[in-house]
Amino acid sequence: MLRRVRSLAHQRARGVGRLTTLLMLMASVNACSSLSDALTPGERNTGPALATVALRANISALVGAPGDVVALQVRLSYVRRDGSWVRTDAQTRALSSGELQSVPIGVDVAPCLADPAREGGGASCLVVLQLALLVNGNTVDEQVIGPLRLTPGQSSTTPPPVTLFELAGIEVVDVSGNAVPSGSTIELALGAERVLRAQVRDTRGQLVSDRVPVWSTDAPQIASITSAGAITTVSTGTARFTATLGARSVSVVLDVVRPTSTLAVVGVPGSGRGLVRSTPAGIECRVIGTVVAGACSFAFVRDASVTLHSIPEEGNLFSAWGDECSSLSTDASCVVIMSSARQASARFTLLRRFTVSAALFGDGRGLVTGSAGIDCLIDAGRTSGTCSALVPDGQVITLAATEVPSSSGGNDSPQSFGGWSGACSAATGITCTLVVSSDDQQIGAGFFDQRRLTVNVSGAGGGSVRAASTLQCMRSLEGDISGSCEAPFAHALAVTLTAESDESSQFAGWSGACSSSATATCTVTMTEARSVTASFSRRRVTLTLLADGSRMSAGQIRVNDVEACAVSVGAGTSSCKLDFDAGTSISLRGVAGERSSFSGFSGGCIGTDDCEFVINANRTVRADFAGLPVRLAMVASPTANGAGRVVAVGVTDGIDCTYSAGLPDDTGCDMLVPLSSQVSLTATANAGSALVAWGEACAGETTLTCTIQPMAARNVYARFVAAIDVSMEIAGAGVVSFGITGVPAQENCSSASNATCRYSLPIGMTGTFRATPAAGYTFTGFRGPCLEGTGLVQTCTYRGFGFVRRIEAQFVRQ
C-alpha cells in the first residue's frame, strides 16, 4: 500500500495545470531558532507529540483575480502497514498576494504513535500531506506530499518542490495528437491495439506537464487501460474509460468489435461482363474483363461467411471463379470464410452466335450435328431444325456432316457430302472444329445428290465395260447388248471403268467422257451425269510358217488347202506370215517336193498329220522336210596289209565293216544315210596292225574317228598296215604321248591309269615318244629297244617282225 501511495504522489507531482501559482514545500531547520517559532511567532507548543514542518510559498501574482481568496488546504494522514491512510487533521492556511510567504504547518503524530498497526514503528510515523490549492473555495489543483517520516519534536526532510497550478480541465488525444471529444465513442477491433493520452491544461490553455490523470474502466471484462493509456481488449462489448485528476474527469466510450478482414473482387481477362454481389451486403462490383467498378472491396467481420453471387449481364455467361473461389470454379456462387484478407476473381464471357447454313454449292440432302445442340437438316439449299446457337466466346465447337438419303419416287437416292464453307472452309473431311470468336459466325455445309453414269459398247468386236459392282455392260460378236449399262454414283466420286474384250476381239478406244484415255481403263469424276462409249474390233492374229529345207529337201505348207509357204532344195528355211481374224479355223498340211520327204510339224503343231486349230493368238508352226537317203559304202584300201574294223557310231543297223589285207568284208560295209545327215565312223586296228590313213570321203582325217555329211552317195576306206605292238610302262607320275607323222594320232599313256599302255608301230614307220612329267617330278628317260634320241623325246623305227616290245618311261620325285 505504501508503494501505491508513493506512486500516486509521484504521478501527481508530474501533472500539468493552467494556474501559475508556485508553492514551495520544504523543510526549514536553519531559518529560525526552532520550528515552533516559524509556525507561531512568539508562541511555543511544547506538546511531546508535535512534529513540525515549515512551508515556504512563492505565490505568483497570476494566481486568481484581484479580490479572489486564495488558500492552501492541507489534509494530514498516517500510513498503516496494510497501506491504508488514516486521516488525523485538516488545516487551511490563507495565502497572501505576496510572491514569497511562509505557511506554517504543525503535525500531531500522537494518534499515529498510539496505533500499533502503523507503518514503520519506533518513535516515528509515515505521514502523507494532501494539498489543495483553493481559489474562492474552489479546488483548482491538488498535490500529494509524502509519505514523510516524522518524529515528535523534530523536523523531516521535505521532498522535491511541488508545483500547484490553477487547472482548467483534462482532454484526451490519440497517438497522432488528434483530440477525442469527451463522451464520444471509439471503435476498436478485438485484439487490436490503441493508446489514449489524457493531458491537463491550465486556465491559460497551457499543458501542465507534471499532472497525470488516473485512468479507470467500468468494464474490465471488456477492456482495460494502463496508466499510460494503452488499451487491452478482452472481449467484444462496450467499456467506458475515465481519466480523473482531482475533481476533474473526462470519459470516452470504447466499442470493442470483432476484427475485420477485407474481401476484394478483381477482374481477369475475359470478353464478358457481369455483377458480383455479396451476402451479407457490402460488395456490389461490376466486372468487365480485368476492369472492376463499384463496391469491389469490403471489410467483413473476422471469420464471417461471405457468399459471392455471380450475375452475368444479358448476352453474357459466368465462366469461372478464381483465387479464393478457384475450388468452386464454375458454380454460380462462392462462399469465402474471412479468416484473413481474401481476394476473389470472377470471369464473365460474352455469348457468341454461330449459324449453320446451306453452302452456295450442292443440291443434296444431309444433316449437320454437333456442339450446343446443333441438329440442322440441309435439303437442296434449304435448312430446318436447330441451325443456330449461342456459345461462350472462345468456345471450341465440333460439327459433323452426315448424308441423309433422299426418298424420291420411293427409292433412296444416295447423297454425298461436298464440303464446308464460311468459318469452316479450311476443314477437310466430314468434321469441322473451330473457335467461336466473333458475332454471328456463318458455317456452310454442302451435300450433293447422286450422278448417273451411262455406258455404251460399239464396234465389230465383242467385250464388256465394268465399274465397281453396279455396272457391267456387255456386247457379243453378233452385236447383242446385255448387262447393266447405267448406274448412279455419289457426287464427285472417282469411278474407274475397265474395258475387257472377248478372246476374239480387242479394245479399240473410248469416246465421250473417257475420250482422253489411251488405255483400257478410264477414270471419270461424277460431278455431273456422264456418258461413256467403249469400242471393240475383231482382233487380228499372225500365223508364222517356217518351211525347213536345210537337209537338201523341198516342200510346201498348205493353209486351208492353199499353198502358203514353200522351200526349195538347198534354200535353207523359208518364213511366211499370214494374218487372220481371231477365231478363224485353220488347217495345215505339209507336202514334200521332189526327192524329199515330209518329216513333220513342230512348234504350234506336232506330228506328220494335218494340223487343225482355231487361231486366237499369234502362233508359229515349223514344217521339216528331208531329202531321200544316200548310200555310204566302205571300199578297198590300197597298199594295205593289215586288219581292222570300221563302225558307224550310234547308228542301229549302220556300218560295221571288217578289213583284212586292205579289203572289206562282203556284209556290213554300207548303209543308207538321210540326206544332209552326219555320220561318224570309228576305226579300230587289230593286234599287229595300225590305222595309218582314211581315204575317199574321209581323206585327210587325223584321228581314229571320221565324221561326214553326205549330200550324195559316198565311198570311204580305212588303211590298216602291219605293225609291232609296243607296251609302254610308266614309273612315277607323268604322261607319254606317241605319234607318227601323217598317221591318225593314238591315245596318250598316263601313269594315272596304273595300267600298261599299248601302242601300234607300223613296220617301217618312225614313231615319236614324248614324255611330260607331272608336277613335282622329273623325267629320267626311256628304256627299251629301238630307241633313238635323248631327253623327253625319242623316236623308234621298227623294220622287222617279232614279239611285243616293252618300253619304260621313268619319272622320279624331285
Side-chain angles (χ1 to χ4, degrees):
M1 183 66 179
L2 179 59
R3 287 192 298 270
R4 185 180 69 82
V5 172
R6 290 173 176 167
S7 175
L8 179 61
H10 179 65
Q11 292 176 13
R12 292 182 183 274
R14 293 167 52 205
V16 179
R18 295 181 57 200
L19 191 61
T20 61
T21 300
L22 177 63
L23 178 64
M24 302 295 295
L25 175 61
M26 57 195 311
S28 178
V29 295
N30 56 3
C32 300
S33 60
S34 68
L35 181 61
S36 60
D37 289 339
L39 291 173
T40 308
E43 298 181 5
R44 299 182 67 86
N45 186 348
T46 61
L50 183 65
T52 58
V53 177
L55 299 178
R56 288 179 64 85
N58 187 10
I59 305 301
S60 171
L62 297 176
V63 175
D68 288 341
V69 178
V70 179
L72 178 66
Q73 183 185 68
V74 181
R75 292 189 293 271
L76 302 172
S77 302
Y78 68 87
V79 182
R80 307 186 74 189
R81 284 194 296 271
D82 61 3
S84 61
W85 294 356
V86 178
R87 177 73 58 83
T88 60
D89 190 13
Q91 304 174 20
T92 300
R93 295 286 187 266
L95 301 175
S96 67
S97 59
E99 293 185 8
L100 180 64
Q101 52 190 296
S102 295
V103 182
I105 298 175
V107 180
D108 185 2
V109 296
C112 173
L113 294 174
D115 187 350
R118 72 182 188 278
E119 175 69 27
S124 64
C125 289
L126 289 178
V127 178
V128 175
L129 284 71
Q130 293 175 280
L131 307 179
L133 181 63
L134 304 179
V135 176
N136 297 327
N138 297 317
T139 301
V140 296
D141 193 8
E142 292 180 308
Q143 184 65 281
V144 176
I145 304 298
L148 305 175
R149 183 168 296 277
L150 300 179
T151 303
Q154 297 180 6
S155 62
S156 66
T157 302
T158 60
V162 176
T163 303
L164 293 176
F165 297 90
E166 183 179 4
L167 304 180
I170 304 172
E171 64 181 15
V172 178
V173 296
D174 59 21
V175 293
S176 299
N178 299 317
V180 180
S182 177
S184 64
T185 299
I186 60 175
E187 188 177 274
L188 187 61
L190 182 64
E193 297 180 350
R194 190 164 186 177
V195 176
L196 297 178
R197 187 171 70 250
Q199 55 190 22
V200 180
R201 291 187 183 272
D202 60 19
T203 55
R204 297 179 305 163
Q206 298 297 314
L207 291 176
V208 179
S209 61
D210 60 351
R211 297 293 185 270
V212 179
V214 178
W215 285 103
S216 63
T217 175
D218 67 348
Q221 75 280 8
I222 301 298
S224 62
I225 188 169
T226 66
S227 60
I231 299 172
T232 300
T233 58
V234 179
S235 64
T236 58
T238 301
R240 179 181 293 274
F241 293 128
T242 301
T244 304
L245 182 62
R248 292 170 175 80
S249 66
V250 63
S251 295
V252 176
V253 177
L254 176 68
D255 188 8
V256 181
V257 299
R258 294 182 67 83
T260 61
S261 297
T262 300
L263 174 59
V265 174
V266 298
V268 292
S271 60
R273 57 183 64 194
L275 186 69
V276 176
R277 180 178 294 154
S278 68
T279 302
I283 289 180
E284 187 88 5
C285 183
R286 188 162 186 259
V287 178
I288 306 174
T290 57
V291 179
V292 295
C296 298
S297 177
F298 189 79
F300 291 95
V301 174
R302 179 73 61 89
D303 297 329
S305 177
V306 180
T307 301
L308 297 177
H309 308 277
S310 62
I311 307 168
E313 293 185 7
E314 183 178 358
N316 292 265
L317 176 73
F318 174 69
S319 298
W321 296 101
D323 296 309
E324 281 303 318
C325 291
S326 60
S327 61
L328 303 171
S329 182
T330 58
D331 292 355
S333 60
C334 164
V335 176
V336 180
I337 304 301
M338 297 304 298
S339 58
S340 63
R342 304 291 188 188
Q343 176 177 291
S345 58
R347 177 185 288 108
F348 295 90
T349 304
L350 184 66
L351 292 175
R352 306 282 193 182
R353 181 173 295 279
F354 72 95
T355 303
V356 176
S357 60
L360 296 179
F361 54 85
D363 57 356
R365 176 183 173 92
L367 190 67
V368 176
T369 58
S371 302
I374 292 296
D375 190 358
C376 183
L377 179 65
I378 298 175
D379 189 358
R382 297 180 298 274
T383 60
S384 60
T386 304
C387 299
S388 181
L390 282 172
V391 298
D393 180 49
Q395 178 169 318
V396 177
I397 64 169
T398 299
L399 302 175
T402 306
E403 298 93 347
V404 178
S406 175
S407 298
S408 177
N411 297 319
D412 284 345
S413 176
Q415 308 292 296
S416 60
F417 176 61
W420 301 96
S421 64
C424 282
S425 59
T428 59
I430 64 172
T431 61
C432 168
T433 299
L434 75 157
V435 178
V436 178
S437 57
S438 62
D439 291 330
D440 199 21
Q441 282 185 283
Q442 296 292 317
I443 301 167
F447 297 87
F448 291 93
D449 199 356
Q450 61 185 358
R451 307 300 189 219
R452 185 163 294 276
L453 176 61
T454 302
V455 173
N456 300 301
V457 183
S458 64
S464 65
V465 176
R466 59 182 174 82
S469 60
T470 58
L471 189 150
Q472 186 168 10
C473 186
M474 296 170 287
R475 183 185 188 280
S476 68
L477 286 174
E478 291 76 22
D480 297 329
I481 302 298
S482 62
S484 175
C485 294
E486 65 176 11
F489 292 92
H491 173 82
L493 179 67
V495 179
T496 299
L497 301 170
T498 302
E500 296 178 347
S501 61
D502 61 23
E503 63 178 4
S504 300
S505 305
Q506 62 185 7
F507 176 63
W510 299 99
S511 60
C514 283
S515 59
S516 62
S517 177
T519 66
T521 60
C522 166
T523 300
V524 295
T525 303
M526 298 302 296
T527 55
E528 60 184 352
R530 302 286 189 183
S531 178
V532 174
T533 298
S535 296
F536 296 92
S537 61
R538 292 293 294 270
R539 184 162 49 85
R540 299 289 287 177
V541 293
T542 299
L543 175 62
T544 302
L545 300 176
L546 300 175
D548 184 11
S550 60
R551 291 182 292 176
M552 301 302 292
S553 58
Q556 61 177 258
I557 303 173
R558 299 181 70 85
V559 177
N560 294 339
D561 210 26
V562 176
E563 181 181 328
C565 193
V567 63
S568 59
V569 175
T573 300
S574 295
S575 177
C576 308
K577 294 183 180 295
L578 304 176
D579 290 331
F580 298 93
D581 287 338
T584 301
S585 297
I586 302 295
S587 176
L588 298 181
R589 177 178 295 171
V591 180
E594 184 180 358
R595 297 182 63 190
S596 300
S597 65
F598 175 56
S599 301
F601 292 114
S602 62
C605 286
I606 303 297
T608 58
D609 295 335
D610 290 354
C611 178
E612 296 182 353
F613 55 90
V614 175
I615 187 166
N616 284 308
N618 294 337
R619 181 178 289 198
T620 299
V621 177
R622 182 186 185 90
D624 289 320
F625 299 95
L628 295 177
V630 296
R631 184 170 296 279
L632 177 64
M634 300 302 298
V635 299
S637 171
T639 63
N641 57 3
R645 182 184 178 192
V646 177
V647 177
V649 179
V651 179
T652 303
D653 297 329
I655 289 175
D656 188 355
C657 180
T658 300
Y659 272 86
S660 178
L663 297 176
D665 286 350
D666 293 335
T667 60
C669 290
D670 63 350
M671 64 180 294
L672 290 175
V673 178
L675 189 66
S676 192
S677 296
Q678 287 186 345
V679 178
S680 294
L681 301 175
T682 298
T684 304
N686 292 347
S689 296
L691 175 68
V692 295
W694 291 96
E696 296 284 350
C698 285
E701 179 62 49
T702 61
T703 67
L704 299 178
T705 299
C706 170
T707 300
I708 60 175
Q709 186 176 9
M711 303 302 294
R714 301 298 299 272
N715 293 328
V716 175
Y717 68 79
R719 183 183 175 200
F720 296 99
V721 298
I724 295 299
D725 288 337
V726 177
S727 175
M728 176 61 67
E729 293 182 2
I730 298 177
V735 175
V736 175
S737 63
F738 173 73
I740 301 172
T741 303
V743 174
Q746 300 182 45
E747 292 182 358
N748 296 334
C749 184
S750 171
S751 61
S753 63
N754 293 322
T756 301
C757 299
R758 189 177 297 275
Y759 294 117
S760 295
L761 178 61
I763 297 174
M765 291 188 176
T766 300
T768 302
F769 296 96
R770 296 179 181 275
T772 303
Y777 284 82
T778 300
F779 179 65
T780 60
F782 291 105
R783 294 181 180 86
C786 192
L787 294 176
E788 301 172 357
T790 60
L792 298 177
V793 179
Q794 294 194 32
T795 62
C796 177
T797 302
Y798 196 78
R799 302 184 181 278
F801 295 95
F803 299 101
V804 174
R805 298 296 183 241
R806 178 173 174 272
I807 298 176
E808 293 181 1
Q810 184 71 38
F811 299 93
V812 297
R813 187 180 296 277
Q814 294 177 349

